Amino acid sequence: MLQAQKRFLNGCGLLVALMISPIAMADFDYPGQGQLLDEAGKEQSFNFGFSFLQQEGEYFFKAGRLSMAVDEVPKRYTLELVLNDKQQIWVSDFSKKPLQGFEWKIGEHQLQLKKERANSPQAGKYKLTIDNTSYFFTSKNRGQIQFKFTDKGISEIEVDSMMTQKR
């Protein structure tokens, strides 16, 4: 009878511990696989993903190779695209050298940047496609891809400082 009481109490202790433990934050991990087209036209594979994972009792947010301890999921991550005078793209998060373009799969999203003239004279010579929406550089020669996060992962992707074609 003593053994049965010990097993019951041990089981109750686990149940009480589960009931009073703080609600765990959700983890997410998007590995992010892609291909770069460097300034010489050579393809190179790259990995750039996002994760929010618990390790040794702390949460870490990871973007590419950078990782930092955080108390909560960051609201967003901004990827900066800069078009220089030589019609090369700089994406410092992906490469230390200028690029001609990239293809990148992150979670359920497909992103592609390639040379392609828009039908509008105001649009630049590069087209960024995210899923099925296309964007073009403006005279500012800059673009931003905003990844917005919730506890469940990427909630949406917005593009700033670029234009879309009229439908």
Side-chain angles (χ1 to χ4, degrees), residues 79 81 89 94 100-106 108-118 125-137 144-145 147 157-159 162-165 167:
L79 189 68
L81 309 174
I89 299 291
F94 292 172
Q100 290 185 24
F102 63 81
E103 290 185 18
W104 179 32
K105 180 167 176 45
I106 182 84
E108 298 175 5
H109 303 283
Q110 287 285 133
L111 291 86
Q112 181 184 55
L113 180 71
K114 66 179 185 174
K115 276 190 176 183
E116 185 175 311
R117 185 169 287 285
K125 295 179 182 174
Y126 278 85
K127 177 171 85 170
L128 171 67
T129 304
I130 300 177
D131 301 323
N132 294 318
T133 305
S134 297
Y135 304 89
F136 293 90
F137 283 91
Q144 293 181 335
I145 304 172
F147 293 88
I157 301 174
E158 288 184 358
V159 176
M162 296 181 86
M163 62 186 234
T164 60
Q165 288 182 319
R167 295 187 171 124

Side-chain angles (χ1 to χ4, degrees), residues 7-8 33 41 55 76 80 82 86 88 101 109 111 159:
R7 279 187 295 213
F8 175 76
Q33 307 293 324
Q55 297 171 344
R76 74 174 149 223
E80 189 83 23
V82 179
K86 296 179 183 177
Q88 299 167 318
H109 303 283
L111 291 86
V159 176

